[in-house]
Structures are given as C-alpha cells and as structure tokens.
C-alpha cells in the first residue's frame, strides 16, 4: 500500500516560472551556469549557487546557510508564492523528441522507503546521503522531486486526463525546446480517489533520485521527525511505467591496462565473437551484443553464452556483463564509481561524443550497449540486488524550482 499525500507547494509566480525553472545543477557546464546566472536574475541557479553573488566558491554548511538566505529572498520578493490548500500537481512534459510524460507531483512516505514499498535498484553512498540530509535540514526545502514509477492505472490516468482539460497553472517552453505544463488538484474527492488507487499498489520504484530519497528517509528517522511531520514525507513525481524512458550509458576507458591492441583483442576473443566493422558505426540492437570503438574502427561483440552464466537477474544486465567480462578482469577497473580511467556518456550523445573523445586521444576505447528495460530494473529491485552505477539514463529529466516542498 503506497501512501502519498497532497502538500502546499511553494511555486514561482506564473509570470516568472519560465525564468526560475532550471535543469539540475550538475547538468550545466561552469560556463553555462555563469552565463545563465549573469543574464537571468530569477534563475533557481542563484539559490543553489549563492556564492555567485560574491564571486566565491562556497562549500559545506556555509553554502547551505546562504542557499537558505537566497531562497528566503525569492519568497520576500514574491518570486515564490505558497499555495493555500494542500494539492496534488499534474505535471506534463513534452520534449523536443516528441516524447510526452504525464504524472503527479505529491509527497511520498519515507516509511514506504523503509518498508521496501518504494524499491531501489541502485546503491547509494552513505557519505553523500548524510551530506544531503544536512543540506535539507539546513535549507529547509527540497526543490527537485524524486522520480518514482508505478504500474499503469486506469483510474489515475483518467483523473490526469480530466485535469488537463482545464487551463493550466503553467505553460512554458525552455531553451532546450521542452514544454512544461502544471495543473493543481485541490478537489478533495479527486485527491481521495488518487490516494485510494495508490493504496492498492503494493510496490513503486525509484527511477531517479536514490540519494535524495535515502537522505529524506534519514531525516524521517531524526528526533525532530516527531515534531515536524513534513520530515516523514518527500516530494516525488510519480509517472506510470509506460511513460518512463530508459536509455543506456556508454563507457569510455582511458587505456588498455598495459595491453597492446592485439593482446587485448585476443583476450576478448575467448568471451565474445568479434567482427571488425571498419569506420561504419555499429549500434547493437539486442541484449548481450555490444559495440566497441578502438583505433578508429568499430567492432561488434557478441557474448559467448556458453562461457558466461546468468545466475540471477543482475547477471543478465548488459552493464553488469560488460563489467564482469571486460572492465574488471581485462581492463582492471574495479571501482566503477571512483576510477578516473572510466567516463560515462548517455546514449543521447553517443555517436558523436564517443568517437570524438577517442579520436582526440582523451580516451583509448569505448563500449556501447542496448538500454535496460523497465522489467529488468524491477526484477533487479525485487530481488534486492543493485545495478552498477550509470546503468540507466532515465527520462523525464525534471526541472528544479517548479514546485518546492518545505520541511
């Protein structure tokens, strides 16, 4: 039984929402951030990068306190307003690739995270969890929802469609040519109907935001949770599984771990059927087929299934196959999170970026694969297993500052 509740969101005014909303902080290059903050005083980036005002790089709790100050200034200047009534928020994204995402922004239960009703498929770093918990407690708000996915539900879908018949609170297009819409659901009957349907759902899955949900759970275990009921929930964007889009991350490696090209290919031959495709790009089309780019040539790699054993759902995942057969035993990359010899690029940029990075000499070799499926992600989570880092690039990518959940 998944529990979600409405909340009184703090939101940008209608006239400024397109200026306030931003992509996640880490998705910008330094030059992009500086440019946007220089010409747009309303960007949410000013809140999460408060040192820009003083031309200083701030870290730790000093930065957190100034984030809080910038946030309060946006409220004082009435760039942000708070809704009078607890609401659910229907959020629709139409991106430049003609993909459409429809879901509900709500507050999800931290207890559901503890009880494994909200399931995880990725590992989290304890240090990062604690840092973000401190951040949330200091700034007093969360501005980017955790992306959760649930089995398609006809009742919830009908309520979303009916809500979208009305004039939206927001309709704006970003410079990336994605258009965003937001509607409020304040009607008690509809709120209760949505809650009732989620109570029939035994499991929902984290698609993106594992550290944010883990940090929120840590806050719920804090002594203050008894006094601040808001600590027991965290902001989430819940979308049906059919709306979720999963892409792959491809891998770039700086060297061949001391091997010559010929020595490397010979070791590879015992595990894969290898075909040199020359300069013609090769994109794998099925599971356990991989692409490889090395010394200006593309290769196809087909896993020899008599050699590799699929012992569980995780072992069937191509990111795990690549790690177990090439990255760790041949190229010597054990720590996929921290080894500086490996870089991940998502498949949106795969064709150009992979070839350019290797041809320029920044990296020696690159690997591509097909994307994981929602069924794999769920099966791995259900088995209590964890994917390797950067196994999935999941869409939609949400905007910060569109709705804010205060603690």
């Amino acid at each position: 039984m998944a529990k979600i509740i409405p909340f009184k969101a703090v939101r940008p005014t209608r006239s400024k929402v397109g200026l306030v909303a931003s992509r996640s902080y880490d998705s910008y290059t330094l030059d992009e951030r500086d440019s946007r903050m220089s010409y747009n005083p309303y960007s949410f980036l000013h809140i999460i990068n408060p040192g820009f005002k003083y031309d200083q790089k701030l870290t730790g709790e000093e930065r957190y306190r100034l984030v809080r100050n910038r946030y309060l200034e946006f409220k004082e200047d009435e760039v942000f307003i708070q809704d009078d009534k607890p609401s659910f928020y229907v959020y629709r994204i139409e991106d430049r690739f003609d993909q459409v995402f429809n879901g509900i922004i709500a507050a999800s239960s931290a207890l559901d995270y503890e009880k494994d009703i909200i399931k995880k498929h990725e590992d989290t770093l304890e240090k990062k969890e604690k840092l973000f918990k401190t951040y949330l407690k200091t700034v007093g708000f969360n501005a980017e929802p955790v992306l959760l996915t649930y089995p398609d539900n006809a009742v919830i879908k009908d309520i979303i469609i009916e809500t979208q018949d009305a004039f939206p609170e927001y309709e704006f297009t970003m410079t990336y040519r994605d258009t965003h819409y937001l509607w409020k659901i304040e009607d008690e009957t509809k709120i209760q109907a949505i809650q009732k349907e989620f109570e029939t759902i035994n499991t929902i899955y984290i698609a993106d935001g594992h550290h944010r949900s883990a940090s929120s759970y840590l806050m719920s275990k804090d002594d203050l949770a008894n006094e601040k009921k808001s600590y027991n929930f965290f902001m989430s964007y819940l979308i049906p599984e059919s709306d979720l889009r999963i892409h792959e991350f491809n891998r770039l490696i700086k060297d061949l771990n001391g091997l010559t090209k010929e020595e490397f290919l010979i070791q590879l031959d015992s595990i894969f059927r290898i075909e040199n495709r020359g300069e013609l790009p090769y994109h794998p089309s099925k599971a356990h087929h991989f692409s490889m780019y090395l010394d200006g040539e593309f290769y196809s790699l087909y896993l020899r299934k008599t050699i590799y054993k699929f012992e569980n759902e995780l072992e069937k995942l191509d990111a795990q196959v690549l790690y177990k057969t090439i990255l760790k035993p041949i190229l010597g990359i054990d720590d996929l999170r921290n080894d500086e010899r490996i870089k991940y690029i998502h498949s949106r940029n795969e064709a150009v970026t992979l070839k350019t990075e290797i041809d320029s000499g920044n990296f020696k070799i690159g690997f591509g694969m097909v994307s994981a499926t929602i069924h794999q992600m769920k099966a791995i989570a259900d088995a209590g297993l964890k994917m390797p880092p950067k196994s999935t690039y999941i869409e939609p990518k949400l905007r910060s500052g569109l709705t804010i959940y205060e603690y």
Side-chain angles (χ1 to χ4, degrees):
M1 294 176 57
K3 182 176 182 178
I4 64 170
I5 63 171
F7 67 101
K8 298 178 182 179
V10 174
R11 302 186 287 115
T13 58
R14 188 184 302 226
S15 63
K16 293 185 176 63
V17 61
L19 296 170
V20 171
S22 71
R23 304 199 317 268
S24 64
Y25 184 78
D26 292 335
S27 70
Y28 294 97
T29 65
L30 179 60
D31 287 343
E32 282 180 319
R33 285 199 299 263
D34 286 350
S35 174
R36 289 175 183 271
M37 295 173 73
S38 295
Y39 74 74
N40 179 8
Y42 298 110
S43 173
F44 193 75
L45 294 171
H46 283 285
I47 293 177
I48 51 182
N49 185 18
F52 182 82
K53 180 177 180 179
Y54 304 107
D55 195 25
Q56 294 287 322
K57 183 177 181 180
L58 305 173
T59 58
E61 295 202 33
E62 180 183 33
R63 172 178 168 252
Y64 304 164
R65 287 192 295 271
L66 287 180
V67 167
R68 175 71 177 169
N69 292 347
R70 293 293 88 76
Y71 173 65
L72 293 176
E73 288 169 8
F74 270 52
K75 291 184 72 175
E76 290 162 3
D77 293 341
E78 297 185 342
V79 176
F80 287 142
I81 56 173
Q82 185 164 27
D83 288 326
D84 296 327
K85 294 178 61 177
S87 303
F88 287 139
Y89 302 86
V90 171
Y91 181 28
R92 177 181 176 91
I93 305 171
E94 298 175 1
D95 73 12
R96 66 186 188 276
F97 303 106
D98 296 323
Q99 295 183 132
V100 178
F101 308 97
N102 291 290
I104 295 172
I105 296 175
S108 290
S109 170
L111 184 60
D112 284 354
Y113 182 92
E114 179 182 60
K115 293 162 65 175
D116 215 28
I117 294 171
I118 297 176
K119 286 186 177 286
K120 316 89 184 168
H121 67 266
E122 285 186 4
D123 275 328
T124 54
L125 300 175
E126 184 178 2
K127 181 179 179 181
K128 193 171 180 180
E129 290 176 11
K130 291 180 177 178
L131 278 175
F132 195 65
K133 173 195 168 186
T134 302
Y135 170 83
L136 291 175
K137 289 182 68 174
T138 304
V139 303
F141 68 86
N142 187 14
E144 186 176 342
V146 173
L147 181 61
L148 301 177
T149 187
Y150 61 90
D152 286 39
N153 180 289
V155 174
I156 298 172
K157 180 179 180 180
D158 287 345
I159 293 174
I160 289 174
I161 292 172
E162 181 183 345
T163 301
Q164 291 177 344
D165 286 339
F167 189 80
E169 291 285 318
Y170 297 148
E171 179 181 351
F172 63 97
T173 300
M174 305 292 288
T175 53
Y176 269 59
R177 302 194 304 279
D178 50 340
T179 302
H180 301 257
Y181 305 84
L182 189 83
W183 294 263
K184 282 199 300 183
I185 298 180
E186 296 178 302
D187 180 78
E188 261 318 308
T189 302
K190 288 184 179 180
I191 287 174
Q192 290 176 11
I194 292 170
Q195 289 177 308
K196 183 178 178 181
E197 289 304 310
F198 273 98
E199 287 172 0
T200 69
I201 297 173
N202 293 324
T203 307
I204 55 181
Y205 296 83
I206 301 172
D208 195 15
H210 283 77
H211 281 97
R212 274 171 281 141
S213 49
S215 300
S216 298
Y217 168 67
L218 288 179
M219 282 181 58
S220 75
K221 307 307 291 181
D222 195 288
D223 290 340
L224 292 176
N226 292 326
E227 299 174 21
K228 299 195 73 170
K229 299 300 183 184
S230 56
Y231 276 19
N232 295 319
F233 294 86
F234 59 92
M235 186 168 64
S236 59
Y237 178 50
L238 300 116
I239 69 169
E241 291 173 6
S242 59
D243 273 18
L244 199 68
R245 297 292 178 267
I246 305 176
H247 306 281
E248 69 276 12
F249 273 99
N250 297 318
R251 275 77 168 134
L252 290 166
I253 314 297
K254 286 187 178 292
D255 57 65
L256 295 180
N257 197 29
L259 300 172
T260 66
K261 174 182 174 181
E262 291 72 24
E263 290 170 338
F264 172 73
L265 290 173
I266 287 171
Q267 289 201 34
L268 212 57
D269 190 79
S270 64
I271 311 165
F272 295 91
R273 290 176 53 195
I274 306 171
E275 183 176 344
N276 188 323
R277 304 275 180 154
E279 296 181 1
L280 183 68
Y282 168 69
H283 302 276
S285 59
K286 58 191 298 186
H288 316 319
H289 288 191
F290 300 85
S291 64
M292 182 174 75
Y293 185 65
L294 174 64
D295 279 355
E297 295 179 311
F298 287 91
Y299 296 79
S300 60
L301 308 178
Y302 297 165
L303 181 67
R304 298 185 190 276
K305 297 179 183 178
T306 55
I307 301 296
Y308 186 90
K309 303 300 181 184
F310 302 111
E311 296 178 354
N312 54 47
E313 293 299 328
L314 177 61
E315 299 301 321
K316 299 175 185 177
L317 185 73
D318 277 347
Q320 181 74 355
V321 172
L322 189 69
Y323 172 67
K324 293 284 292 288
T325 59
I326 302 177
L327 299 184
K328 182 176 180 179
I330 300 177
L331 296 179
I333 296 176
D334 188 18
D335 186 348
L336 292 173
R337 291 186 182 276
N338 300 309
D339 197 313
E340 294 182 354
R341 296 168 56 219
I342 188 170
K343 177 182 178 180
Y344 303 92
I345 54 170
H346 62 76
S347 56
R348 283 282 192 224
N349 301 327
E350 177 260 338
V352 175
T353 307
L354 187 144
K355 187 176 187 304
T356 300
E357 289 273 22
I358 293 172
D359 289 347
S360 67
N362 294 329
F363 292 86
K364 180 65 177 177
I365 189 170
F367 298 96
M369 66 194 84
V370 298
S371 58
T373 67
I374 181 65
H375 303 292
Q376 282 183 300
M377 190 180 83
K378 289 172 60 176
I380 289 169
D382 289 343
L385 303 169
K386 300 294 185 293
M387 292 181 175
K390 301 295 184 184
S391 291
T392 56
Y393 178 80
I394 293 179
E395 293 180 313
K397 294 299 180 188
L398 307 180
R399 293 298 181 264
S400 295
L402 189 62
T403 57
I404 296 172
Y405 179 82
E406 288 194 334
Y407 292 104

